[in-house]
Amino acid sequence: MVNSRFSVAIHILSLIATTSDKSQLTSDFMAGSVNTNPVVVRRMIGVLKKAGLLSSQSGLAGYDLLVEPKDLSLLTIYHAIDGPEQLFAIHDEPNPDCTVGRKIQRTLEGVYTSVWDAMEEQLQAQTLQDVLDQLR
């Protein structure tokens, strides 16, 4: 199953960036938008705060972005939530007596590295502001 933490993080950051009345930004409100449990939102907010992307004041609802959306790359968000370090896994122990099995791991490592590099390049080129612009 594909991990949705990255999408949830972008969703939460987009809500924070576009909500003018910060008192509305409770975990219940955001969970309603994401359609998840408020605990999931609180955990994600903790991760984003730890990464230095958000701040909050104790006892008050609401959050503030610490990085302007135009300066916040999607790659930074991806790294903040500890996105998986690989997109694909190579199956273990292919048959070394098979002509394909003998070379498949090394071959796929090269392919997967190229795909990973392209993904990181694209995420670096896109910002939270780009997402916000598409939401409007």
Side-chain angles (χ1 to χ4, degrees):
M1 186 159 90
V2 175
N3 186 323
S4 64
R5 288 171 36 94
F6 182 49
S7 297
V8 170
I10 294 171
H11 191 140
I12 289 169
L13 292 168
S14 297
L15 280 171
I16 292 167
T18 59
T19 303
S20 56
D21 181 2
K22 300 300 181 188
S23 68
Q24 285 184 330
L25 293 171
T26 64
S27 56
D28 286 333
F29 171 80
M30 290 188 272
S33 180
V34 175
N35 198 22
T36 192
N37 190 295
V39 172
V40 172
V41 170
R42 285 191 291 274
R43 285 184 186 142
M44 181 60 69
I45 285 173
V47 169
L48 295 170
K49 285 172 68 174
K50 184 177 179 183
L53 302 180
L54 292 179
S55 69
S56 64
Q57 292 183 337
S58 186
L60 295 176
Y63 302 91
D64 291 305
L65 287 174
L66 295 176
V67 180
E68 288 294 320
K70 67 180 179 56
D71 298 325
L72 182 53
S73 76
L74 297 185
L75 184 60
T76 298
I77 299 167
Y78 188 82
H79 287 306
I81 60 128
D82 294 323
E85 293 184 14
Q86 60 184 23
L87 293 176
F88 310 107
I90 300 173
H91 57 291
D92 292 331
E93 301 181 30
N95 184 347
D97 295 329
C98 172
T99 57
V100 172
R102 183 173 32 253
K103 295 181 180 179
I104 193 70
Q105 288 179 314
R106 188 174 8 150
T107 301
L108 290 179
E109 283 174 7
V111 171
Y112 294 170
T113 297
S114 296
V115 170
W116 182 264
D117 291 345
M119 180 201 73
E120 282 195 331
E121 183 179 317
Q122 286 298 310
L123 291 178
Q124 182 60 41
Q126 299 291 316
T127 66
L128 181 60
Q129 187 62 56
D130 295 327
V131 172
L132 299 176
D133 291 344
Q134 291 180 43
L135 291 172
R136 293 186 182 136

